[in-house]
Amino acid sequence: MAAIVSLLALFILFISSSVSSLSSNYYDKTCPHLESAVTSAVKTALSNDKTVPAALLRMHFHDCFIRGCDASVLLESKGKNQAEKDGPPNISLHAFYVIDNAKKAVEALCPGVVSCADILALAARDAVALSGGPTWEVPKGRKDGRISKATETRQLPAPTFNISQLQQSFSQRGLSFEDLVALSGGHTLGFAHCSSFQNRIHSFSSTLDVDPSLQPSFASNLRSVCPAHNKVKTAGTTLDSTTTTFDNAYFKLLLQGKSIFSSDQALLTNPTTKALVYKFASSHKEFENAFVKSIIKMSSITGGQEIRLDCKVVR
Ligand code: HEM
Ligand SMILES: *[C@@H]1O[C@H](CO)[C@@H](O)[C@H](O)[C@H]1NC(C)=O
Ligand SMILES: *[C@@H]1O[C@H](CO)[C@@H](O)[C@H](O)[C@H]1NC(C)=O
């Protein structure tokens, strides 16, 4: 009996330590100027390159979906080990230098104290806010992981996923249908390469060349940018009509048959997710509130053990 009780106590301790270790004031004493240092690194990068916010938001998502938000996405391949960033769907990952610059600034202020995972979470928040989106308090106290494997990028949801595959991918990480729809709204920023939506515009099914849920003239445009045997590696299209502005245009376009990925379109194939798409399309405010709630949830999946000094290498 005593053994069962102590096991139970241990279990409860384990659960609570893995969910409640983050806090908004984590670095208040040890690194009070952390957040302004990160914001200024993001601002500087953004002033030279408008694609930086999208890159940082996607980088944070990839980080959190593999081994938790532990900056595993930032590690470089070493020896025989191929890191996540050299894995197959790394096609749009870029702007790693922004995190390196922020880390350098933070190390100068408070050496060895702040994790790369926290810096990435803050940079993603700044990326959204500086693009005209909402802002929020980022819970902090993540640790950096020591493992990054290219093969694990297979755990990321694919753009060809249907609604049940998306639901499974999100629920495995404690994320709901509402989180799925709200976070898919991240596709209000950025760019997609042809290979990511090729399945919808060429040989869609045995009988149809083009996905019939795509609005016809929108589909023709995509087909002219991305011909069947496209050789231009950089070719592709913006994810919504206002690619550097964080707004709810993504949801409005989705309802007009103008989404880019099958995984976006899939949100209309289930009554619950479809209702959420309508809600976010009709209210910018509802989208922002839901996005903030969901990204805090996603970014609170933790996994690391140490504080790296250089975000590219383990200590
Ligand atoms: C629901 C499952 C998701 C799938 C299947 C998915 C898939 C993709 C794919 C295939 C790309 C384009 C890659 C390329 O061709 O270059 C992309 C881009 C992007 N995704 Fe997602 N994504 C998902 C969820 C998310 C989430 C949760 C976020 C963040 C909240 C996000 C943010 C972005 C951003 C910002 C870009 C543009 C990146 C850039 O332009 O640099 N995505 N996504
Ligand atoms: C993506 O992976 C390839 C090798 O698989 C590598 O050459 C390239 O640098 C990687 N891209 C990024 C942005 O890390
Ligand atoms: C989604 O795809 C999986 C794998 O191909 C399939 O087993 C499942 O039935 C599909 N679900 C829906 C709702 O289409």
Side-chain angles (χ1 to χ4, degrees):
M1 185 61 190
I4 292 175
V5 170
S6 58
L7 253 177
L8 199 72
L10 247 172
F11 181 69
I12 289 167
L13 195 77
F14 170 76
I15 300 262
S16 58
S17 70
S18 64
V19 294
S20 68
S21 53
L22 303 182
S23 73
S24 296
N25 55 7
Y26 192 83
Y27 296 111
D28 280 5
K29 296 230 161 59
T30 53
C31 199
H33 301 296
L34 160 65
E35 304 213 3
S36 51
V38 174
T39 305
S40 113
V42 176
K43 272 191 183 157
T44 304
L46 170 60
S47 68
N48 294 313
D49 179 358
K50 296 263 173 290
T51 73
V52 159
L56 293 173
L57 182 58
R58 178 154 159 88
M59 202 187 289
H60 181 47
F61 158 59
H62 277 210
D63 185 28
C64 296
F65 264 54
I66 302 175
R67 297 184 171 268
C69 318
D70 68 341
S72 56
V73 70
L74 304 177
L75 287 172
E76 287 193 336
S77 299
K78 191 176 172 220
K80 275 197 225 117
N81 184 60
Q82 248 209 327
E84 277 170 42
K85 66 162 73 151
D86 292 324
N90 71 351
I91 178 164
S92 75
L93 288 177
H94 66 284
F96 291 105
Y97 73 92
V98 183
I99 302 302
D100 290 332
N101 289 346
K103 175 68 168 172
K104 269 182 213 135
V106 170
E107 283 300 302
L109 291 173
C110 14
V113 168
V114 183
S115 65
C116 295
D118 279 342
I119 291 175
L120 179 50
L122 288 167
R125 186 271 314 270
D126 291 341
V128 169
L130 292 169
S131 304
T135 191
W136 62 93
E137 276 288 339
V138 176
K140 293 164 291 283
R142 294 166 192 77
K143 294 276 164 51
D144 299 326
R146 300 177 52 83
I147 298 169
S148 178
K149 290 188 193 306
T151 49
E152 292 182 352
T153 55
R154 268 185 252 139
Q155 297 165 14
L156 290 168
T160 51
F161 270 14
N162 64 32
I163 193 67
S164 35
Q165 294 168 306
L166 289 169
Q167 178 179 30
Q168 194 190 7
S169 169
F170 275 64
S171 70
Q172 277 168 356
R173 293 160 174 93
L175 300 172
S176 65
F177 259 158
E178 170 136 351
D179 298 322
L180 167 64
V181 180
L183 290 170
S184 293
H187 290 162
T188 178
L189 295 178
F191 183 85
H193 294 82
C194 296
S195 56
S196 301
F197 53 91
Q198 155 94 9
N199 68 306
R200 301 186 79 188
I201 55 171
H202 302 290
S203 316
F204 174 70
S205 68
S206 56
T207 51
L208 291 169
D209 205 21
V210 176
D211 182 344
S213 63
L214 280 169
Q215 198 266 343
S217 64
F218 184 76
S220 320
N221 284 339
L222 293 181
R223 277 164 63 92
S224 64
V225 179
C226 305
H229 300 286
N230 168 54
K231 292 219 167 60
V232 188
K233 279 248 174 341
T234 53
T237 185
T238 57
L239 287 176
D240 85 357
S241 52
T242 52
T243 177
T244 58
T245 307
F246 193 99
D247 57 16
N248 67 341
Y250 162 84
F251 295 102
K252 295 181 184 164
L253 292 167
L254 176 52
L255 291 174
Q256 295 165 23
K258 298 177 182 171
S259 67
I260 305 300
F261 308 129
S262 296
S263 59
D264 298 318
Q265 183 64 36
L267 303 177
L268 297 176
T269 62
N270 166 282
T272 306
T273 52
K274 186 175 179 176
L276 289 163
V277 171
Y278 273 96
K279 179 159 100 174
F280 298 154
S282 65
S283 168
H284 186 213
K285 201 71 223 157
E286 295 266 20
F287 165 51
E288 286 196 341
N289 293 342
F291 184 84
V292 166
K293 211 173 108 199
S294 296
I295 197 162
I296 291 175
K297 218 165 133 187
M298 179 184 85
S299 81
S300 302
I301 311 170
T302 52
Q305 307 80 35
E306 65 174 25
I307 306 290
R308 264 176 237 154
L309 299 178
D310 173 342
C311 294
K312 299 189 291 302
V313 292
V314 298
R315 232 171 143 160

